[in-house]
Amino acid sequence: MRALAVTPIHLPPEEIRRRQERYDRLAPPGLEIELRDVGPAAPKTLDTDASMRVSENAVAAVLATAGDGWDLAFPDCVLDPAVPDAVAEPALPVHGLLKLSATYLAAKGVRFGAVVRNEAIAEEFSKRIAAYRLTEYLAGIRVLDLPFSAIAETETWNAALGTAVRELAELGATAVINGCSAVDVEPADLPARIVDPTALAMRLLAVEEQP
């Protein structure tokens, strides 16, 4: 099974390689993922609502012209740009990392929180959860206030999680979605488990596509 992943922002080659290697590690047996850069028309970071909309349009354009040879596609972003509306007539199934992971948690009756990099992402995350009709399961969102560079800095990102996760646990969250698809989640002694939405979504995709 071959899956096309499309970045939500225009990334340099070294970051594309890092993210591709991450997908290679996370992909279950039988699932091959190829990451494609969305292109220079997309923003370089997601810091405003305007950048979200430009990203959404750019991802939708790539998905609409993905070509043959793919069994499914998804945006390489926990904000699910262009999902579920994605493309008016998609040439292949388009999935969302957040839609898959949050729906799975809700189906199990798990009340979850989320941590995100900035305020703009927090607002978009909340809108997506509302669009998926999962608001009742969302305990809250905490902003880590980290620079874009922290996405590739595993120690920096994970070091910022402690206080946010504890606050969300106090609000009733037993799981916390890590609000970036490209960050490796490290084990930690925290009152709520941290969910890597990409890793969870990959496992669910592999199960879904089995006959």
Side-chain angles (χ1 to χ4, degrees):
M1 183 170 60
R2 299 190 68 231
L4 171 66
V6 181
T7 67
I9 54 178
H10 183 40
L11 293 171
E14 59 270 21
E15 178 62 7
I16 292 291
R17 285 194 295 272
R18 186 189 74 83
R19 295 188 182 206
Q20 180 64 65
E21 289 171 358
R22 174 169 154 78
Y23 277 118
D24 292 343
R25 295 197 312 271
L26 294 178
L31 177 60
E32 178 185 341
I33 301 166
E34 181 177 319
L35 180 63
R36 180 179 298 178
D37 184 69
V38 68
K44 293 184 177 180
T45 62
L46 298 177
D47 296 320
T48 64
D49 181 71
S51 66
M52 306 285 180
R53 305 288 76 81
V54 174
S55 170
E56 201 166 45
N57 291 334
V59 171
V62 174
L63 292 174
T65 57
D68 299 327
W70 308 104
D71 298 296
L72 59 93
F74 59 88
D76 169 49
C77 181
V78 76
L79 297 177
D80 292 356
V83 177
D85 298 328
V87 189
E89 295 182 5
L92 69 167
V94 177
H95 297 275
L97 300 179
L98 178 59
K99 188 174 185 179
L100 285 166
S101 55
T103 300
Y104 174 80
L105 292 174
K108 294 188 69 176
V110 174
R111 187 163 171 77
F112 58 85
V115 290
V116 297
R117 189 173 63 82
N118 61 34
E119 290 287 353
I121 293 173
E123 292 180 12
E124 186 70 9
F125 190 103
S126 181
K127 290 177 184 177
R128 288 297 182 186
I129 290 294
Y132 300 147
R133 299 183 178 181
L134 299 175
T135 302
E136 65 180 291
Y137 295 97
L138 181 65
I141 302 173
R142 289 294 179 269
V143 176
L144 301 178
D145 195 23
L146 291 171
F148 177 76
S149 60
I151 294 173
E153 298 167 358
T154 301
E155 291 185 5
T156 300
W157 187 284
N158 282 268
L161 294 178
T163 298
V165 172
R166 282 188 283 270
E167 289 178 356
L168 290 166
E170 289 176 358
L171 294 175
T174 57
V176 174
I177 295 175
N178 194 51
C180 181
S181 65
V183 174
D184 286 317
V185 177
E186 296 180 331
D189 183 16
L190 293 169
R193 64 187 176 97
I194 303 172
V195 175
D196 181 338
T198 307
L200 176 54
M202 295 305 96
R203 294 196 298 270
L204 293 172
L205 283 174
V207 171
E208 177 181 317
E209 296 300 324
Q210 289 179 1

